[in-house]
């Protein structure tokens, strides 16, 4: 446990020793606030549903941008092999890096609390939707991060890691989208159900309604565990090369 915490603190600190982290946070806040408040006053409703609807697509670029350096930079700086020779289990290293990226994402979301505070001042928003939306955003971000870390472990090029992560996440987003499901023939209703469950869209929308279903939580936890497991296996395979 102490080893995981050591990796976690080292990785979290690495985000803030350069201006990149601050630039990410500022860009995220400007982009989400601009897109949200652009339609907020037109709708004349004190709610954040439209804000949370943006997050799967904002995170599509934001999360891979966080994780693209996770392993690719270690390989580029020739510290990857040194890291694997330390008296640490691969799972501990992966967990430390994962939680550091997740905490960075949470800090970014924490900075966005000015949005619900502003809405609360000028209206009467649904608190359940706000809580559910932020909870869903953390789960969604964690899933994106686990995918991005796995892709980063496969290459030493950060741009390749970024593009590969975006492609995989986009496929999972599109896979369960109602528009895609509508094109599947009624004879393949079973396939529609499978794609709806595998896809990221439906589970996030369900949580954002303010009703936290255990099935959605299990889905995200399973997806995160699966890609973290693949990440560990990717590190294990490097030892035999």
């Amino acid at each position: 446990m102490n080893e995981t915490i050591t990796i976690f603190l080292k990785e979290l600190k690495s985000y803030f020793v350069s201006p990149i982290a601050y630039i990410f946070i500022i860009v995220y806040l400007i982009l989400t606030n601009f897109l949200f408040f652009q339609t907020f006053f037109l709708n004349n409703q004190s709610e954040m549903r439209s804000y949370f609807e943006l997050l799967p697509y904002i995170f599509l670029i934001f999360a891979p941008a966080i994780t693209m350096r996770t392993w690719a930079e270690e390989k580029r700086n020739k510290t990857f092999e040194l890291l694997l020779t330390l008296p640490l289990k691969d799972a501990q290293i992966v967990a430390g890096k994962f939680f550091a990226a997740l905490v960075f994402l949470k800090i970014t979301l924490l900075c966005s609390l000015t949005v619900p505070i502003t809405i609360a001042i000028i209206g009467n928003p649904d608190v359940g939707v706000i809580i559910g939306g932020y909870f869903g955003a953390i789960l969604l971000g964690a899933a994106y991060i686990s995918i991005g870390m796995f892709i980063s472990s496969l290459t030493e090029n950060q741009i390749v890691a970024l593009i590969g992560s975006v492609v995989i996440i986009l496929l999972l987003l599109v896979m369960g989208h109602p528009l895609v499901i509508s094109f599947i023939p009624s004879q393949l209703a079973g396939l529609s159900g499978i794609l709806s469950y595998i896809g990221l869209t439906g589970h996030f929308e369900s949580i954002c309604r303010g009703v936290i279903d255990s099935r959605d939580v299990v889905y995200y936890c399973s997806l995160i565990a699966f890609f973290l497991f693949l990440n560990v296996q990717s590190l294990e395979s490097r030892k035999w090369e």
Side-chain angles (χ1 to χ4, degrees):
M1 186 64 180
N2 291 335
E3 292 82 358
T4 300
I5 294 174
T6 300
I7 295 294
F8 162 76
L9 294 175
K10 170 184 171 295
E11 289 297 316
L12 185 61
K13 181 181 178 181
S14 70
Y15 285 113
F16 293 97
V17 294
S18 70
I20 296 177
Y22 305 99
I23 293 173
F24 278 166
I25 293 175
I26 292 171
V27 169
Y28 171 84
L29 295 176
I30 292 175
L31 183 59
T32 52
N33 279 266
F34 171 75
L35 293 176
F36 173 65
F37 283 109
Q38 190 176 36
T39 58
F40 175 75
F41 295 104
L42 295 176
N43 295 334
N44 197 28
Q45 293 181 346
S46 299
E47 50 87 21
M48 287 188 63
R49 291 184 187 275
S50 58
Y51 179 88
F52 294 119
E53 288 173 356
L54 294 170
L55 295 189
Y57 307 99
I58 299 294
F59 283 1
L60 178 63
I61 301 298
F62 185 74
I66 295 174
T67 60
M68 67 181 185
R69 56 174 289 280
T70 304
W71 299 110
E73 188 175 35
E74 297 275 9
K75 295 176 182 178
R76 183 174 61 84
N77 293 335
K78 308 302 182 184
T79 57
F80 183 74
E81 286 73 15
L82 176 62
L83 182 65
L84 295 184
T85 59
L86 295 176
L88 299 171
K89 295 180 180 179
D90 293 339
Q92 292 175 323
I93 301 174
V94 171
K97 286 178 173 287
F98 170 75
F99 285 114
L102 182 58
V103 167
F104 176 67
L105 182 70
K106 288 181 179 180
I107 291 172
T108 304
L109 287 172
L110 186 65
C111 293
S112 74
L113 287 178
T114 52
V115 175
I117 291 173
T118 302
I119 295 175
I121 292 173
I122 64 178
N124 186 29
D126 187 334
V127 177
V129 171
I130 294 176
I131 294 174
Y134 274 103
F135 180 67
I138 292 172
L139 289 176
L140 183 74
Y144 282 22
I145 287 170
S146 66
I147 295 170
M149 283 182 56
F150 168 62
I151 300 301
S152 180
S153 72
L154 302 177
T155 178
E156 61 182 28
N157 189 307
Q158 295 189 34
I159 302 302
V160 172
L162 173 66
I163 295 173
S165 301
V166 169
V167 170
I168 298 300
I169 294 169
L170 185 60
L171 285 175
L172 286 172
L173 274 177
V174 172
M175 191 180 296
H177 197 280
L179 182 61
V180 174
I181 300 299
S182 66
F183 283 103
I184 298 177
S186 57
Q187 296 88 340
L188 299 175
L191 178 60
S192 299
I194 293 173
L195 292 179
S196 295
Y197 184 78
I198 295 176
L200 287 161
T201 308
H203 296 281
F204 181 68
E205 291 177 350
S206 177
I207 296 176
C208 287
R209 296 189 189 103
V211 180
I212 300 176
D213 192 320
S214 60
R215 290 173 296 183
D216 297 321
V217 177
V218 168
Y219 164 80
Y220 277 113
C221 290
S222 300
L223 186 68
I224 293 165
F226 175 69
F227 278 100
L228 290 181
F229 171 76
L230 291 181
N231 199 161
V232 172
Q233 296 307 306
S234 175
L235 299 188
E236 288 286 349
S237 66
R238 293 279 300 188
K239 294 180 178 180
W240 301 102
E241 292 181 0

